[in-house]
């Protein structure tokens, strides 16, 4: 491509002017959301980006770097995929209501809804249950819509009223409704029965020989469930199956599911929250299993943050949620894709 044919850079004044209304919306949403948290007694925190471990989920990938110590020794560090580890250490330290506009990093991700570097709005409540952060999430989304004057989100032909009553749907109910699968029947003794789920899903998705229970679950979720969520109104998808608990505790009333929820609008996932697990031994086993699978699939594994695991055992009962702030601004501003609402696009892009 000749120099004449290349698009102008993102910092070209004309291109910037096209994006300016979306960026002004971002500033407005940031202002009202920050005020919302401060008005409810939350403390805004700033936690470190460079971490011993970036997170220990199988399919999350983090950029890696090295630091040189004063003695010349080099130590590996990772750019965090979430501020979760640091925030939970603050809960163990005695903080009770905290929030952060956190810069986080995800390798291998780029698209209309994904950036390799983005802003995650994350908050935690000590001694509050999951219903408290679900209520918070719905109110924060409403605040964002109010800040831009939009009453209805629209994206790719789908709409969702923001101020109305949300749809409350369990994952099991969603799988039954949209895929005809009895999901909980495939969970035995706290583990996913891969064969049972493969049999139930074989006519709905393509299944590879090395797909695990979680792989099959994710394919059904992405292809058949998520496109139907957040249409006409927001959807709160709750009671994730226990194999997908991540850092959430099991539901005491049904050990087959975890206290985990996600919120959707227009088929877009906006938030992912937990009733937090405070059993350090159980969290260690989950992380070890996830890293074994990561090594099998991708040939790499991340270290465990031993300080974090110690903090899990010391922190109080709590609930927390991570909300994709750029996605929220995208919907609240009417932007067609996520890179329209960030001040600078990923490095190296025009």
């Amino acid at each position: 491509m000749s120099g004449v044919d290349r698009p102008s850079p993102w910092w070209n004044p004309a291109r910037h002017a096209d994006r300016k209304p979306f960026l002004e919306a971002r500033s407005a949403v940031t202002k009202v959301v920050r005020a919302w948290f401060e008005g409810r007694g939350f403390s805004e925190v700033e936690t470190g980006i460079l971490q011993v471990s970036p997170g220990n989920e199988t399919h999350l990938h983090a950029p890696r770097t090295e630091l040189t110590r004063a003695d010349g020794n080099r130590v590996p560090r990772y750019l965090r995929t979430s501020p979760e580890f640091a925030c939970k250490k603050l809960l163990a330290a005695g903080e009770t209501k905290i929030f952060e506009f956190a810069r986080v990093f995800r390798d291998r991700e780029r698209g209309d809804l994904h950036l390799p570097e983005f802003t995650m709005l994350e908050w935690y409540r000590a001694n509050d249950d999951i219903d408290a952060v679900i209520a918070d999430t719905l109110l924060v989304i409403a605040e964002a819509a109010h800040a831009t004057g939009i009453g209805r989100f629209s994206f790719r032909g789908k709409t969702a009223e923001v101020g109305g009553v949300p749809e409350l749907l369990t994952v099991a109910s969603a799988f039954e409704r949209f895929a005809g699968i009895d999901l909980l029947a495939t969970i035995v003794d706290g583990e996913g029965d891969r064969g049972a789920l493969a049999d139930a899903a074989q006519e709905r998705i393509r299944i590879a020989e090395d797909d695990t229970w979680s792989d099959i679950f994710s394919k059904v979720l992405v292809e058949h469930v998520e496109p139907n969520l957040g249409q006409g109104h927001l959807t709160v998808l709750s009671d994730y199956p226990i194999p997908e608990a991540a850092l959430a505790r099991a539901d005491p009333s049904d050990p087959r599911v975890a206290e985990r929820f996600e919120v959707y609008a227009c088929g877009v996932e906006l938030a992912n929250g937990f009733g937090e697990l405070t059993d350090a031994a159980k969290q260690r086993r989950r992380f070890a299993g996830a890293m074994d699978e990561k090594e099998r699939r991708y040939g790499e594994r991340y270290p465990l943050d031993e300080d974090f695991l110690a903090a899990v055992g010391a922190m109080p009962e709590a609930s927390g949620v991570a909300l994709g702030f750029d996605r929220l601004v995208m919907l609240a501003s009417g932007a067609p894709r996520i890179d329209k609402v960030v001040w600078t696009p990923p490095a190296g892009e025009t």
Side-chain angles (χ1 to χ4, degrees):
M1 181 181 289
S2 69
V4 174
D5 295 328
R6 289 180 61 84
S8 57
W10 62 263
W11 42 265
N12 175 277
R15 284 190 63 186
H16 185 69
D18 289 340
R19 297 170 60 243
K20 190 63 180 290
F22 302 126
L23 300 175
E24 290 174 342
R26 183 187 186 96
S27 295
V29 173
T30 302
K31 182 178 179 180
V32 300
V33 168
R34 178 172 278 120
W36 188 90
F37 280 105
E38 291 174 348
R40 284 156 180 79
F42 283 79
S43 297
E44 184 170 6
V45 301
E46 294 179 275
T47 61
I49 289 175
L50 290 176
Q51 296 289 324
V52 169
S53 175
N56 296 104
E57 296 185 45
T58 300
H59 300 292
L60 289 186
H61 303 275
R64 183 182 185 275
T65 187
E66 286 188 334
L67 296 181
T68 303
R69 290 177 167 166
D71 61 6
N73 289 326
R74 298 180 67 83
V75 294
R77 291 292 182 266
Y78 296 87
L79 276 63
R80 64 187 179 183
T81 60
S82 162
E84 183 166 5
F85 286 9
C87 285
K88 287 183 176 176
K89 291 173 185 176
L90 289 174
L91 293 179
E95 295 293 334
T96 58
K97 296 169 70 175
I98 56 176
F99 76 102
E100 180 174 7
F101 286 94
R103 299 297 288 181
V104 299
F105 304 83
R106 303 280 174 92
D107 210 356
R108 307 191 188 203
E109 294 192 9
R110 182 66 174 96
D112 287 351
L113 291 172
H114 297 87
L115 294 169
E117 177 183 356
F118 60 98
T119 299
M120 182 177 286
L121 172 61
E122 195 153 324
W123 68 95
Y124 293 87
R125 286 177 172 269
N127 304 308
D128 270 325
D129 63 21
I130 194 171
D131 289 336
V133 291
I134 291 176
D136 286 343
T137 304
L138 297 173
L139 289 170
V140 166
I141 293 171
E143 286 290 311
H146 180 72
T148 63
I150 198 169
R152 178 190 298 119
F153 291 158
S154 298
F155 186 71
R156 295 179 178 173
K158 300 175 182 177
T159 62
E161 297 290 338
V162 180
V165 177
E167 175 187 34
L168 305 179
L169 189 63
T170 68
V171 175
S173 296
F175 268 61
E176 179 65 39
R177 180 187 302 179
F178 301 121
I181 293 173
D182 183 352
L183 184 65
L184 297 186
T186 73
I187 299 174
V188 181
D189 297 329
E191 301 290 338
D193 183 330
R194 191 266 184 199
L197 185 55
D199 288 343
Q202 62 183 340
E203 296 183 359
R204 307 293 289 168
I205 60 169
R206 179 175 296 179
I207 300 173
E209 289 186 5
D210 64 345
D211 278 346
T212 64
W213 185 97
S214 289
D215 293 328
I216 299 169
F217 169 85
S218 295
K219 287 181 178 181
V220 175
L221 181 72
V222 170
E223 295 179 26
H224 295 285
V225 176
E226 287 185 331
N228 294 290
L229 303 180
Q231 295 202 49
H233 36 58
L234 302 180
T235 298
V236 178
L237 188 68
S238 66
D239 297 341
Y240 269 67
I242 197 66
E244 297 298 307
L247 289 88
R249 62 189 173 219
D251 187 329
S253 66
D254 186 350
R256 297 174 300 174
V257 300
E259 292 188 3
R260 177 181 176 183
F261 74 93
E262 293 189 345
V263 176
Y264 288 81
C266 305
V268 176
E269 178 202 337
L270 286 178
N272 179 26
F274 304 144
E276 305 295 348
L277 180 64
T278 55
D279 184 326
K282 186 173 292 185
Q283 189 65 78
R284 180 185 295 275
R285 289 194 296 271
R286 290 183 186 175
F287 280 171
M291 291 302 92
D292 288 346
E293 178 62 16
K294 189 181 199 71
E295 187 167 42
R296 182 189 74 84
R297 183 175 294 270
Y298 301 108
E300 64 175 346
R301 64 191 302 131
Y302 298 145
L304 304 187
D305 183 338
E306 294 295 340
D307 282 346
F308 168 70
L309 289 169
V312 166
M315 64 183 273
E317 295 294 314
S319 59
V321 59
L323 184 148
F325 189 70
D326 305 316
R327 289 186 179 184
L328 177 61
V329 173
M330 181 190 73
L331 293 179
S333 67
R337 59 180 190 270
I338 200 168
D339 55 12
K340 290 285 190 180
V341 301
V342 296
W343 283 91
T344 62
E349 293 190 10
T350 57

